[in-house]
Amino acid sequence: MKRRLPLLALLLLPAAHAQTATIASDIQAGRTALSDNQPARARTLFASALAQDGGSHDDRYAAAMGLGQSTLWLGQYPAAADAFRIAQQEAADTASRQAAETGLAQALNAQDYPRAAYALVAPYAMGQTRPTVELMRATQSLGWEDRGANYLDAAPAPDTQGYLATQYRLLGDDIRLALSSQLQGDFAYSHDSDGLDTWHVGGAYRFAPSGHDGWTQRWGIAAGTTHVEDDLEARRLDDLSLLGELHLGDDNRIDLDLGPGRSGSWNYLQGSARWTLQPSDSFSLSTGAERAPVPTDTAIADRLIYDVYSLGVSLRPASRWYVVPTYYRQNFSDGNHRDGGTLKVLLSPYDIPDTGGAIGAEFSARIFHSSQPSHGVYFNPANYRTAQIGLVGVYSLSQEWKVRGVAAVGRQVTDGAGASVYTVGASLSGRLPGNGRLELQLGRSSAASANGGGSGYWCNSVNVSVRYPL
């Protein structure tokens, strides 16, 4: 029997060699397909190589890396992350493992898991361009741009064109903007079916952020003027605000926008304060308070103001799903109060292959009960509820300009009377010369708002914001 074992091994060698040759040929063919801009074919070839038995650790690493790169190209980010995790396990040395972890960080960033991506590349990204790009992307999502500045200074700029060079330039500009003092201008206008026109012009100056040892602070000042007009009267409101943004460690953020307001001889305190706790990429808790005049001509004439206290969570049961319930209590100075809530369920957009577009979906609902229902001064039924479902589309006009659109339909019930509602909107965001930013939003909705509501109601709106570093 012992004499037969070497003979059996010799007989099996050709089969093992053939299988190894097939794995190697699939890997080589997959690389050629990637070079020829055929990611779907490359994915098939790399997956075939990875599925075969008999390959070495180097073969499995190469196949997994190729599979990760091709599925990233196709926008299949969860599959890409799985492939890079296999490559991470099969890596033979530190450089290979770091290459796999950088690919994994790219897949995680694409799925909006910036904390996980940051934790992967931060230990070794200093001085390396590709992992620094993923680290900058993560810090931008988290508002940790100050942590990315040193990495940006240490990483050499790419000397070739393509994805890496473009992302390095764009993300570098984003970090420089975030870390500079800024000047911002805003304009907003709305017109509704009740003949109410609202104009707002404002500006803000924000100082450069500062901080150390895991916390940062940023302060600023803002001022604005709002005109509220109908067929009979026109009212003007002026406001001045102190702006604050504080990051306390990794998990806590406080946003402040507080100051005095004035309309004629009426002086009041207005603004908002919000605290957010986000310990992970899949959960956050936020609570806030807001105070503002009710934005109708008759309500301003009556010096009517409201306070809102809210508590909400953001849950992420799966990589593309977000569930955001919020409870709020709204107190009006006329003695009325509301208990209400909102719910949003979001499906983040899927990339459409071979295009610059992506499509997702959203569901939104709102409900409240007023203790003292009234008519004529502001929209104030005893009971109100609405729900809408719609599609969300995103299209990249270029690396620097993006269009987003939403179209939703649903139904609202106001004190037992039902009516169909809809919301349509589009936004354009992009970069201006000198590292400025532009955001333009257009919208139309028939759902009730603080201004008005009910059957046949609609409101058109436009908002423009421009920011520049100083």
Side-chain angles (χ1 to χ4, degrees), residues 105-193:
Q106 184 178 348
L108 292 171
N109 274 326
Q111 297 177 83
D112 194 24
Y113 287 106
R115 289 172 181 265
Y118 180 90
L120 271 175
V121 297
Y124 62 85
M126 187 69 71
Q128 299 187 55
T129 303
R130 184 173 288 278
T132 292
V133 165
E134 299 310 323
L135 181 134
M136 288 193 296
R137 192 192 310 282
T139 57
Q140 182 188 45
S141 297
L142 295 165
W144 296 351
E145 286 91 350
D146 57 308
R147 303 187 189 187
N150 292 336
Y151 289 87
L152 176 63
D153 293 339
D159 55 6
T160 59
Q161 299 300 313
Y163 167 84
L164 186 63
T166 300
Q167 293 302 308
Y168 180 92
R169 174 177 61 85
L170 296 178
L171 291 166
D173 286 346
D174 289 340
I175 285 183
R176 282 184 279 269
L177 175 64
L179 297 182
S180 68
S181 57
Q182 296 179 17
L183 188 63
Q184 179 174 331
D186 299 294
F187 169 79
Y189 169 71
S190 67
H191 172 76
D192 69 13
S193 55

Side-chain angles (χ1 to χ4, degrees), residues 15-29 45 48-49 52 59:
H17 176 73
Q19 189 172 42
T20 302
T22 300
I23 294 173
S25 63
D26 282 345
I27 292 172
Q28 184 57 48
L45 289 164
S48 173
Q52 297 179 54
D59 289 336

Side-chain angles (χ1 to χ4, degrees), residues 283-303:
F283 173 80
S284 69
L285 171 70
S286 63
T287 184
E290 178 186 351
R291 180 176 173 86
V294 178
T296 69
D297 175 66
T298 50
I300 296 171
D302 291 344
R303 300 189 174 187

Side-chain angles (χ1 to χ4, degrees), residues 268-340:
Y268 51 86
L269 178 66
Q270 55 81 44
S272 63
R274 178 167 295 277
W275 167 68
T276 302
L277 170 68
Q278 185 172 5
S280 73
D281 289 323
S282 299
F283 173 80
S284 69
L285 171 70
S286 63
T287 184
E290 178 186 351
R291 180 176 173 86
V294 178
T296 69
D297 175 66
T298 50
I300 296 171
D302 291 344
R303 300 189 174 187
L304 188 59
I305 199 164
Y306 67 83
D307 301 299
V308 178
Y309 306 95
S310 62
L311 176 65
V313 298
S314 176
L315 306 171
R316 196 173 180 185
S319 62
R320 291 189 177 273
W321 288 98
Y322 299 81
V323 180
V324 188
T326 301
Y327 164 80
Y328 67 87
R329 175 68 178 259
Q330 188 172 21
N331 297 326
F332 295 83
S333 56
D334 62 0
N336 180 40
H337 67 259
R338 289 176 179 170
D339 290 294

Side-chain angles (χ1 to χ4, degrees), residues 198-452:
T198 303
W199 305 76
H200 175 80
V201 178
Y205 175 80
R206 291 178 173 84
F207 295 93
S210 62
H212 57 85
D213 295 335
W215 67 271
T216 60
Q217 60 179 347
R218 183 178 201 138
W219 300 98
I221 189 169
T225 296
T226 304
H227 290 263
V228 180
E229 308 173 6
D230 59 18
D231 295 334
L232 301 176
E233 296 287 345
R235 305 285 176 178
R236 173 177 170 176
L237 302 97
D238 300 313
D239 61 81
L240 182 67
S241 295
L242 173 69
L243 306 177
E245 179 183 321
L246 297 91
H247 292 262
L248 308 176
D250 293 348
D251 303 338
N252 293 275
R253 172 173 174 158
I254 298 174
D255 293 286
L256 302 173
D257 182 350
L258 301 169
R262 179 179 179 178
S263 179
S265 61
W266 179 32
N267 296 284
Y268 51 86
L269 178 66
Q270 55 81 44
S272 63
R274 178 167 295 277
W275 167 68
T276 302
L277 170 68
Q278 185 172 5
S280 73
D281 289 323
S282 299
F283 173 80
S284 69
L285 171 70
S286 63
T287 184
E290 178 186 351
R291 180 176 173 86
V294 178
T296 69
D297 175 66
T298 50
I300 296 171
D302 291 344
R303 300 189 174 187
L304 188 59
I305 199 164
Y306 67 83
D307 301 299
V308 178
Y309 306 95
S310 62
L311 176 65
V313 298
S314 176
L315 306 171
R316 196 173 180 185
S319 62
R320 291 189 177 273
W321 288 98
Y322 299 81
V323 180
V324 188
T326 301
Y327 164 80
Y328 67 87
R329 175 68 178 259
Q330 188 172 21
N331 297 326
F332 295 83
S333 56
D334 62 0
N336 180 40
H337 67 259
R338 289 176 179 170
D339 290 294
T342 63
L343 173 65
K344 287 188 176 181
V345 180
L346 307 174
L347 173 64
S348 61
Y350 282 84
D351 290 343
I352 302 173
D354 301 321
T355 73
I359 190 167
E362 67 177 21
F363 169 82
S364 62
R366 179 163 64 106
I367 187 171
F368 67 77
H369 168 75
S370 294
S371 65
Q372 298 180 15
S374 58
H375 299 281
V377 179
Y378 60 103
F379 181 71
N380 188 32
N383 297 286
Y384 177 82
R385 65 179 185 271
T386 184
Q388 295 188 74
I389 188 168
L391 295 177
V392 177
V394 182
Y395 186 79
S396 297
L397 301 173
S398 68
Q399 292 286 350
E400 300 183 347
W401 290 91
K402 182 179 293 184
V403 175
R404 184 181 187 274
V406 59
V409 295
R411 191 165 182 82
Q412 68 180 10
V413 179
T414 306
D415 288 337
S420 298
V421 292
Y422 63 86
T423 298
V424 292
S427 65
L428 172 69
S429 60
R431 299 164 186 263
L432 299 172
N435 205 23
R437 299 293 185 274
L438 169 69
E439 293 185 15
L440 169 65
Q441 298 178 342
L442 303 171
R444 179 183 174 98
S445 177
S446 65
S449 67
N451 296 347

